[in-house]
Amino acid sequence: MLKKNLIINGSSQVLIVDGEATLANVLRGQLHMTGTKIGCGKAQCGACSVIVDGKVIRSCVTKMKRIPDHAEITTIEGVGTKEHLHPLQLSWMIHGAAQCGFCSPGFIVSAKQLLEENTNPSREDVRDWFQKHRNACRCTGYKPLVDAVMDAARLMRGEVTTEELWCKLPEDGRIWGSNYIRPSALAKVTGTWDFGADAGHKLPCGTLQLKLVQAKVSHANILSIDTSEAEKMPGVYRVITAKDVVGKNKITGLITFPTNKGDGWDRPILCDKKVFQFGDAIAIVAADTAEHAQAAVEKVKVDLELLPEYMSAPAAMADDAIEIHPGTPNIYFETKVVKGEDTAPLLEKADVVVEDDFYVGRQPHMPIEPDVGYAFFDEDGKLIIHSKSIGIHLHQAMICAGIGIESEKLILVQNNAGGTFGYKFSPTIEALLGVAAVATGKPVYLEFDYYQQMTYTGKRSPFFINLKYGATKEGKLIAMESDWSVDHGPYSEFGDLLTIRGSQFIGSGYNIPNIRGFGRTVCTNHAWGSAFRGYGSPQSLFSSEVLLDELAEKLGMDPFDLRYKNVYRPGDTTPTGCEPDVYCLVEIMDKLKPKYDQAKEWAKQPPAEPNKKRGIGISIGVYGSGLDGADSAAVNVELTATGVTVYTSWEDHGQGADMGSLATAHEALRPLGIKPENIKLVMNDMERTPNSGPAGGSRSQVLVGNATRVACEALLQGIKKEDGTFRTYEEMIAENLPVFFQGAWTAPASECNVETGQGNPFAVYMYGAFLSQVEVDITTGKTNVVKMTMVADVGKIANKLVVDGQLYGGLVQGLGLALSEDFEDLKKHSDLIGAGLPFIKDVPDDIELLYVETYRPNGPFGAAGSGELPLTSPHASIINAIYNACGVRVTHLPARPEKVLAGLQAKG
Ligand code: MCN
Ligand code: FES
Ligand code: FES
């Protein structure tokens, strides 16, 4: 042990520490200063940044023995407090720079040191600083973070006041449509917003620490599991395997369509007979400390018989491939599109036909916060599981039978989450926690390291697509033929639904009167497919938007003009044969046109460096807000002595569920004249909040928003007096009238028919257009995205700051999907850098957002959703721009430099 005299946030402390312990663990574990976060744990993300003697360091890899005696350490707790905010913290709030907020303490601490050294930095200085210190953010697209530092610097130089920067509300106090700051922002920027691992430090003594025994191969039969040695290890309380699970030991994938050849019960909680993918959980060690548990994990012996590994859809579809789940064919679901006339004769006589193959890969979600959770039995014998779940009621239904607990006795609660981007639409560690709590009867805690985050959790499901268009020589689309195979990994959950997205979104945005399509879901041994922002649309639209550029080239038409000619106009129908909710794509394109023309001029100018070539590309994006068909949500509200309380299960990934709930409730309650600070939110605890449905499919603003509106309208109706004024809470109680009101809303929509792909699946859609400007280095093949422009129609905007943030963040995830992100190679792609996470210098500072706000008849106060729109097809615009720059058409993502270079070399 070492004795260290340290000055932490200005106060001298004498600490006895293990020299090998990291500073991050000492701050968080020994000192309970949990404002400093641990993300990657290996010096890649900067979430753990602190200042030591005037230098920003990553505390997750800094051992205590390397911290000099008398070092001065500044953590987020020392930057400012809720009562006395640092200008950076104020500015972070003003710019909506904390979405999930997991990266915020690290960024703010890092920026503090920058501003100490340079009181007047340029935007490029700020970007260079964050690049140098590896501060990574997955939510914001980085631009708002630079905006925040620039305004903090102005505040510090006295050039502007907080009042001037703070959001301005209209006279009537309306917050709907404004830049009102989200309720969680203050806690996020001060490091006091507790995430799962922070709450983990506050669990009672005796909480068991869990670690997993995981598969290191992708496909095998399990011959035996020997836990005897592990059980004798120090501190071990129990080693849990499949035989200790009292329930079904399976998670149900809730099969959506009856034609699915599987039954949905294919995902073991703890593997018993087979390993289906790398990282599968085989046993859980529960011990007094995490270190003891990990040491015992190494002693569990698993005897395996290796089986052939089918790491892609074509491999698992081969004639000689064995069934991964014996009894269920590897192709377990099929769907078709039958719209209009037969396409074969139409394509035969079409003036122009184009065809190509496309592949969008296994994009990893890469939230900065790894998966984490805990479970315990409460005083009533109910099992309470806290996790990052973005579908608490959904997950209860998926895991209760597997754990062996009645659904009424299982309560899920969402912890504050540091981003999920959809991977938490699937249960991950919930069932493991449940099984461990049941087996031990004790509180249990499990956190993943980043390697486990990458290798255990689901990924975007790759689509292999073949697509064909036929058009007239004037450029009118007349027919489309599509064929797509979805590599969904070994577990079927929502795989059928995802495959249906191909029918709904390949070619969407355009009036294509005649379509024939065939899609299939394929079981493989690569990472299981979980939802990822955009859910099927980035795969679908990549093919249809890149092929459209190929068509434009063949027709000799400008890609903009070809799109303009074919986008939905009144009377046109979607690929599912229904009319879209609104016709706004012409207006969107009109708004983009001047930007497109400017970009064309820009592309004509020679770049500063002679080895670079400029190009521009566009794409359009369409996606539904809601789950297919009659999706529904419930929300409750209560009149209280101090205002109104909203009870909602609008799970928050970091997108701004708190702000959406508040803005919607405030708008609905405006007749009361209530102030936003008098609306209290109770969120995401099944014991207190009704089933609002999962926060996926960009559904919440529409579905949960409508349920919130309905509940608030019921409250207004319930407290109204005959003269039209409203009773106070005291009056309601005195008259013995109810103060609690329920709201529910169901979307007027119908599921698609599996045989034809036809139907009216979504009551509300989001629409957009993307323009990318790139420079390609023809000596290295590296693409630099210089500018991105997006025109978005998300209906009426509930909160501008939130929606701007959604768009910036989604666009940059699209940039990553286009150029670098992948999870194919289990070794190379298992950390943030290996998997191609975009850092600040990979991303343009010049991102322009333009809006068309078409009122949505089915949206609350005219709103559609926003979360997934920016990741529908921005990558297609980048790929189109690369072709425009250098003539290399990348149809299999990502377009890493070596691929573009190979394309350049092949061209000669
Ligand atoms: N919003 C608005 N006005 C509109 C539409 C939406 O102000 N007209 C706001 C909403 O109030 C909400 C946000 O925009 O705060 C997104 O709303 P919506 O599109 O309804 O989506 P959900 O709330 O259901 O959020 C889920 C969506 C999805 S599916 C993924 S995946 C996703 C996303 O949002 N993951 C995210 N955004 C994310 N953002 C962050 N920071 N982290 C994630 O993991
Ligand atoms: Fe330390 Fe990522 S750099 S947690
Ligand atoms: Fe940066 Fe979520 S706000 S990671």
Side-chain angles (χ1 to χ4, degrees):
M1 289 293 147
L2 296 177
K3 187 189 254 190
K4 291 269 176 191
N5 294 286
L6 300 173
I7 304 156
I8 301 179
N9 297 327
S11 72
S12 293
Q13 307 211 19
V14 182
L15 291 181
I16 314 300
V17 294
D18 174 353
E20 293 299 316
T22 64
L23 175 57
N25 282 338
V26 168
L27 288 169
R28 293 172 54 79
Q30 256 179 275
L31 300 178
H32 291 274
M33 293 169 63
T34 52
T36 302
K37 310 299 174 196
I38 299 180
C40 68
K42 55 189 272 192
Q44 295 190 342
C45 76
C48 61
S49 298
V50 299
I51 303 167
V52 177
D53 290 335
K55 287 208 160 46
V56 179
I57 58 121
R58 276 156 269 162
S59 61
C60 70
V61 289
T62 308
K63 295 204 168 150
M64 286 310 293
K65 65 182 181 199
R66 288 184 43 219
I67 303 283
D69 225 15
H70 304 292
E72 286 193 37
I73 300 175
T74 306
T75 68
I76 188 71
E77 289 87 353
V79 174
T81 60
K82 283 185 178 173
E83 295 71 33
H84 300 285
L85 291 170
H86 188 279
L88 276 162
Q89 293 169 312
L90 275 166
S91 193
W92 230 254
M93 293 171 69
I94 290 164
H95 287 280
Q99 287 190 29
C100 76
F102 194 82
C103 70
S104 307
F107 265 99
I108 291 171
V109 165
S110 177
K112 178 173 187 291
Q113 186 58 32
L114 163 69
L115 296 185
E116 300 267 318
E117 293 177 24
N118 181 357
T119 55
N120 196 2
S122 66
R123 292 186 74 89
E124 219 38 44
D125 291 337
V126 177
R127 282 160 54 83
D128 286 341
W129 181 272
F130 287 144
Q131 181 75 21
K132 180 170 140 204
H133 292 95
R134 288 249 179 94
N135 290 107
C137 175
R138 188 60 163 161
C139 298
T140 61
Y142 296 107
K143 183 172 186 269
L145 309 183
V146 183
D147 295 340
V149 178
M150 296 307 285
D151 271 343
R154 289 169 67 213
L155 276 167
M156 288 168 80
R157 294 195 303 269
E159 292 167 12
V160 70
T161 63
T162 307
E163 293 65 41
E164 283 166 331
L165 291 177
W166 203 257
C167 86
K168 313 274 176 308
L169 294 183
E171 291 273 295
D172 61 4
R174 189 179 196 187
I175 65 167
W176 178 266
S178 74
N179 277 338
Y180 193 84
I181 291 164
R182 70 176 75 188
S184 53
L186 182 62
K188 285 172 178 166
V189 301
T190 49
T192 54
W193 185 251
D194 271 356
F195 294 91
D198 307 330
H201 282 290
K202 296 170 189 167
L203 292 172
C205 296
T207 298
L208 292 171
Q209 305 294 315
L210 307 182
K211 292 287 172 188
L212 302 183
V213 178
Q214 289 176 276
K216 297 190 178 78
V217 298
S218 299
H219 197 193
N221 284 322
I222 299 177
L223 303 179
S224 67
I225 305 169
D226 180 358
T227 59
S228 53
E229 223 181 301
E231 270 154 29
K232 291 183 217 137
M233 291 290 286
V236 170
Y237 185 82
R238 183 98 194 250
V239 182
I240 303 152
T241 62
K243 66 177 168 25
D244 305 306
V245 181
V246 295
K248 223 173 148 129
N249 189 28
K250 294 264 170 67
I251 294 170
T252 170
L254 295 174
I255 288 308
T256 316
F257 298 93
T259 52
N260 195 314
K261 292 177 186 148
D263 62 3
W265 290 99
D266 45 41
R267 186 172 155 209
I269 299 173
L270 288 172
C271 296
D272 47 0
K273 296 191 183 70
K274 277 190 85 171
V275 163
F276 296 103
Q277 69 156 63
F278 188 92
D280 264 349
I282 298 170
I284 306 170
V285 177
D288 56 348
T289 66
E291 293 71 25
H292 281 151
Q294 191 57 49
V297 159
E298 315 302 333
K299 302 288 177 193
V300 175
K301 290 189 198 120
V302 185
D303 196 11
L304 297 172
E305 177 196 21
L306 298 184
L307 295 170
E309 298 177 344
Y310 304 111
M311 302 303 273
S312 71
M317 285 158 69
D319 288 341
D320 61 348
I322 61 167
E323 286 175 350
I324 292 172
H325 291 282
T328 306
N330 290 349
I331 300 173
Y332 57 90
F333 179 72
E334 291 169 342
T335 186
K336 294 192 193 118
V337 192
V338 182
K339 179 184 175 189
E341 289 172 42
D342 189 6
T343 46
L346 291 169
L347 287 170
E348 189 109 328
K349 59 175 195 261
D351 295 334
V352 188
V353 174
V354 283
E355 179 178 3
D356 213 339
D357 292 314
F358 299 92
Y359 173 78
V360 176
R362 231 172 289 280
Q363 187 184 22
H365 303 72
M366 296 189 279
I368 306 297
E369 179 198 36
D371 215 40
V372 59
Y374 45 91
F376 59 94
F377 281 95
D378 74 1
E379 300 286 308
D380 302 325
K382 286 188 188 155
L383 175 60
I384 317 289
I385 301 179
H386 283 243
S387 71
K388 292 178 72 176
S389 170
I390 56 156
I392 51 178
H393 294 79
L394 173 74
H395 291 173
Q396 182 209 47
M398 291 172 76
I399 67 173
C400 61
I403 299 172
I405 192 149
E406 297 138 54
S407 59
E408 319 78 74
K409 290 214 162 148
L410 177 60
I411 301 292
L412 271 76
V413 183
Q414 191 200 25
N415 281 330
N416 295 330
T420 95
F421 310 105
Y423 90 90
K424 281 304 306 166
F425 201 89
S426 292
T428 50
I429 64 178
E430 287 81 358
L432 295 166
L433 287 163
V435 156
V438 170
T440 61
K442 293 198 172 276
V444 292
Y445 173 80
L446 175 59
E447 72 179 27
F448 276 1
D449 62 21
Y450 215 84
Y451 180 76
Q452 289 174 304
Q453 170 67 32
M454 292 299 286
T455 54
Y456 179 89
T457 64
K459 300 288 170 282
R460 189 185 291 292
S461 299
F463 278 37
F464 296 77
I465 305 181
N466 174 271
L467 192 63
K468 206 188 251 192
Y469 284 138
T472 64
K473 57 182 182 312
E474 292 77 30
K476 208 65 194 131
L477 288 167
I478 51 171
M480 179 175 87
E481 280 181 1
S482 53
D483 181 280
W484 68 103
S485 300
V486 177
D487 171 349
H488 199 55
Y491 304 130
S492 66
E493 60 194 47
F494 316 120
D496 45 14
L497 198 62
L498 176 66
T499 308
I500 296 271
R501 292 286 179 268
S503 357
Q504 295 163 341
F505 294 104
I506 297 177
S508 72
Y510 306 109
N511 184 47
I512 310 177
N514 310 295
I515 308 178
R516 290 295 179 274
F518 198 145
R520 58 196 72 75
T521 327
V522 186
C523 182
T524 71
N525 293 117
H526 212 313
W528 105 70
S530 67
F532 192 147
R533 193 176 195 172
Y535 194 60
S537 69
Q539 297 97 317
S540 302
L541 286 159
F542 179 65
S543 66
S544 52
E545 285 300 311
V546 174
L547 191 66
L548 212 76
D549 263 38
E550 295 187 37
L551 179 63
E553 186 178 32
K554 207 157 179 185
L555 286 162
M557 268 179 96
D558 186 297
F560 187 97
D561 297 341
L562 178 61
R563 286 178 171 82
Y564 197 78
K565 193 169 216 135
N566 287 285
V567 290
Y568 299 150
R569 287 179 171 75
D572 290 348
T573 56
T574 69
T576 72
C578 69
E579 293 199 2
D581 57 339
V582 292
Y583 289 93
C584 58
L585 277 166
V586 170
E587 194 179 343
I588 286 176
M589 297 218 55
D590 285 339
K591 201 151 207 164
L592 188 66
K593 185 69 166 68
K595 302 289 166 189
Y596 182 70
D597 290 340
Q598 278 167 22
K600 267 173 120 174
E601 285 309 310
W602 168 87
K604 283 184 196 151
Q605 310 303 315
E609 294 157 73
N611 52 332
K612 301 234 167 123
K613 290 204 166 181
R614 286 182 171 177
I616 65 166
I618 54 170
S619 58
I620 65 166
V622 180
Y623 198 60
S625 290
L627 304 180
D628 303 53
D631 188 10
S632 65
V635 170
N636 299 331
V637 296
E638 185 178 15
L639 186 71
T640 66
T642 54
V644 171
T645 301
V646 180
Y647 300 88
T648 177
S649 303
W650 183 341
E651 294 90 350
D652 206 341
H653 314 230
Q655 82 277 24
D658 56 344
M659 191 61 244
S661 294
L662 181 62
T664 313
H666 187 256
E667 184 67 6
L669 294 171
R670 281 183 70 220
L672 272 187
I674 191 168
K675 292 204 169 103
E677 52 271 31
N678 294 331
I679 299 177
K680 188 178 155 202
L681 303 176
V682 174
M683 300 180 77
N684 306 321
D685 176 347
M686 278 178 72
E687 205 140 40
R688 307 183 69 196
T689 57
N691 188 352
S692 318
S698 302
R699 66 184 284 285
S700 308
Q701 182 61 59
V702 172
L703 271 292
V704 191
N706 265 320
T708 307
R709 174 184 59 77
V710 171
C712 291
E713 284 165 2
L715 181 142
L716 292 179
Q717 199 55 40
I719 68 172
K720 206 177 215 162
K721 294 181 186 169
E722 271 177 17
D723 65 0
T725 61
F726 297 102
R727 290 180 183 82
T728 62
Y729 172 76
E730 288 73 22
E731 286 169 336
M732 292 292 286
I733 297 297
E735 292 179 47
N736 208 14
L737 291 169
V739 289
F740 190 84
F741 301 88
Q742 296 179 322
W745 191 78
T746 301
S750 61
E751 275 177 19
C752 290
N753 178 312
V754 172
E755 286 304 314
T756 63
Q758 302 300 282
N760 187 6
F762 307 108
V764 177
Y765 288 86
M766 312 168 276
Y767 305 86
F770 304 90
L771 164 65
S772 292
Q773 297 171 229
V774 306
E775 286 184 353
V776 180
D777 184 328
I778 51 167
T779 56
T780 62
K782 186 168 167 33
T783 302
N784 180 25
V785 181
V786 177
K787 175 166 184 178
M788 294 179 92
T789 307
M790 176 177 185
V791 184
D793 189 337
V794 299
K796 295 292 170 193
I797 292 173
N799 185 277
K800 180 72 172 25
L801 212 48
V802 165
V803 173
D804 282 353
Q806 287 296 290
L807 302 190
Y808 287 130
L811 285 172
V812 168
Q813 290 183 328
L815 181 150
L817 177 59
L819 299 181
S820 56
E821 293 178 23
D822 208 355
F823 183 70
E824 193 55 37
D825 185 323
L826 292 168
K827 289 204 178 73
K828 267 202 235 156
H829 298 156
S830 59
D831 62 25
L832 293 171
I833 291 180
L837 180 91
F839 283 81
I840 195 164
K841 296 284 276 193
D842 301 316
V843 168
D845 192 34
D846 195 355
I847 305 181
E848 192 173 353
L849 305 177
L850 303 164
Y851 291 97
V852 169
E853 279 193 71
T854 310
Y855 187 93
R856 296 301 197 280
N858 288 317
F861 311 111
S866 78
E868 290 165 293
L869 176 66
L871 190 47
T872 48
S873 71
H875 48 303
S877 71
I878 293 173
I879 294 302
N880 287 338
I882 293 176
Y883 183 79
N884 183 247
C886 67
V888 174
R889 179 99 59 203
V890 177
T891 52
H892 289 47
L893 294 182
R896 285 193 170 175
E898 54 277 14
K899 198 177 281 176
V900 177
L901 192 60
L904 283 163
Q905 284 159 354
K907 265 176 13 107

